[in-house]
Amino acid sequence: MKKNWKVLLFTGIILLVLIVSGIISALISRVPHNALSVTGNSAGNLNNGGLYAESEGRVYFSNAYDNGSLYSMNTDETDIKKLGSSRVNSINVGGNFLYYYMDSEGSGGDGLGFVVRTYGVFRSRLNGKSSQCLDRSASVTMQLSGDYLYYQRYNNKDFTKLYKIKTDKSGKTLVSDSIINPAACNNGIIYFNGTESDHYLYALDTSTDTISAVFQGDLWYPAYQDGYIYYMDVTENYRLCRYSLSANTVEILTNDRVDTFNVGNQYIYYQRNSSSEPALMRMLLDGSSPEVVAEGNYSDINLTSSYAYFHAFGEDTPIYHTPVNGAVNVTPFTAAAEAAAK
């Protein structure tokens, strides 16, 4: 009898430990709600691959010196840490979690882990741990808006359609059959250009997933910044303009033909398309004070609060950077290379 009592007590303790562990595990893995105003990354970064995303003094980035693996660092490029071993892009950050598209194909390495391709929309902790696939599908661009990821889901049968999925992996929903780029988001409103019958500016209200026309222009790659939509004017040789949402007016910022651009809090960085004088340029938000950042053709312009990052067109490395708001001083991003070599 005494022996049975001890067995029951021991069994009860084990059950209690398992229950408490389960509760703790559930609390740790729970994804807290985000405010509707939470946005995962800027439109400019996402339209340039989403290779850098910043939050709370940390920058999460795809390190081209390590086959695009996920890293993090302080905004001043100190304390660089490797968080994962697979190629990532379309990086978003919200609360205590990262969201990104991951594809192990082309990430390098040997062994069975690199024979089986892993890809899809993923979520992980800020330290890269507890990685979980939210949707095993190809994705072009995705944006975090509140509690939902809006992403361009692609397959050979349905091609590109806009889906959304909740950050806790529930509620996967087809939002639209149209090709909608969700990169430009502000306070729960996604701004995008038409791709079928027109290139007008549209707004998707993420609280209801209803779409309305905003401006009958001829836009490409809209980006929201402080009440303006910055965009490439398709009709006028892809020059850069901005549209005031409050005044319903358009300003021409440059007559240069633009390949790609990114809007910061002081400067617009853009690649000037020219057969004789191609260059990475920057100008103030109103189009004034244009200056050359680097002569030649560059792509994947990503901005943080401290630096502008870019690389030569067609070459992933070397990565170059310059102070995003200070005097132009282009140098290689050697800290990323050194971290990858460790």
Side-chain angles (χ1 to χ4, degrees), residues 43-44 47 183-184 191 220-225 228-231 261-263:
N47 286 334
Y191 297 97
W220 201 252
Y221 280 162
Y224 177 89
Q225 175 81 340
Y228 287 96
I229 297 294
Y230 294 79
Y231 65 93
F261 73 98
N262 199 334
V263 184

Side-chain angles (χ1 to χ4, degrees), residues 39-176:
T39 299
N41 204 343
S42 68
N45 281 355
L46 292 174
N47 286 334
N48 283 273
L51 306 180
Y52 294 74
E54 181 177 341
S55 179
E56 302 290 332
R58 293 291 289 181
V59 174
Y60 304 90
F61 69 103
S62 174
N63 191 347
Y65 291 105
D66 191 6
N67 298 299
S69 297
L70 181 63
Y71 279 66
S72 74
M73 63 181 174
N74 293 327
T75 55
D76 64 358
E77 300 178 346
T78 59
D79 190 31
I80 298 182
K81 297 179 179 179
K82 184 173 182 175
L83 307 182
S85 298
S86 293
R87 182 182 297 274
V88 299
N89 58 47
S90 209
I91 302 170
N92 283 248
V93 57
N96 295 321
F97 291 89
L98 295 171
Y99 306 88
Y100 44 83
Y101 180 71
M102 184 176 78
D103 193 342
S104 63
E105 186 176 58
S107 294
D110 300 308
L112 183 61
F114 291 95
V115 174
V116 180
R117 181 186 176 194
T118 302
Y119 68 95
V121 176
F122 279 76
R123 182 195 71 217
S124 74
R125 291 279 175 176
L126 295 180
N127 59 8
K129 299 186 182 301
S130 302
S131 178
Q132 181 180 16
C133 182
L134 303 183
D135 187 0
R136 184 176 169 80
S137 67
S139 176
V140 183
T141 301
M142 66 183 190
Q143 174 66 277
L144 174 67
S145 178
D147 284 335
Y148 284 88
L149 279 169
Y150 285 77
Y151 59 106
Q152 294 174 302
R153 193 173 191 263
Y154 175 84
N155 61 51
N156 292 329
K157 179 182 177 182
D158 299 324
F159 299 104
T160 303
K161 295 183 178 182
L162 184 68
Y163 275 75
K164 73 174 183 180
I165 191 168
K166 205 168 184 181
T167 54
D168 64 3
K169 199 180 176 179
S170 66
K172 183 170 72 174
T173 306
L174 171 66
V175 178
S176 175

Side-chain angles (χ1 to χ4, degrees), residues 233 239-242 250-255 286-287:
D233 189 341
R239 68 186 179 185
L240 271 182
C241 299
R242 69 176 181 179
V250 172
E251 297 174 69
I252 301 168
L253 304 179
T254 179
N255 283 308
D286 61 1

Side-chain angles (χ1 to χ4, degrees), residues 218-282:
D218 203 2
L219 295 79
W220 201 252
Y221 280 162
Y224 177 89
Q225 175 81 340
D226 295 334
Y228 287 96
I229 297 294
Y230 294 79
Y231 65 93
M232 295 158 64
D233 189 341
V234 177
T235 302
E236 297 296 333
N237 201 33
Y238 292 89
R239 68 186 179 185
L240 271 182
C241 299
R242 69 176 181 179
Y243 168 75
S244 171
L245 291 168
S246 59
N248 191 31
T249 55
V250 172
E251 297 174 69
I252 301 168
L253 304 179
T254 179
N255 283 308
D256 289 337
R257 180 183 173 92
V258 173
D259 288 332
T260 185
F261 73 98
N262 199 334
V263 184
N265 59 5
Q266 292 186 31
Y267 287 96
I268 304 169
Y269 283 76
Y270 67 96
Q271 175 61 39
R272 180 174 66 195
N273 182 305
S274 170
S275 59
S276 58
E277 296 180 303
L280 178 64
M281 305 285 296
R282 77 174 185 181

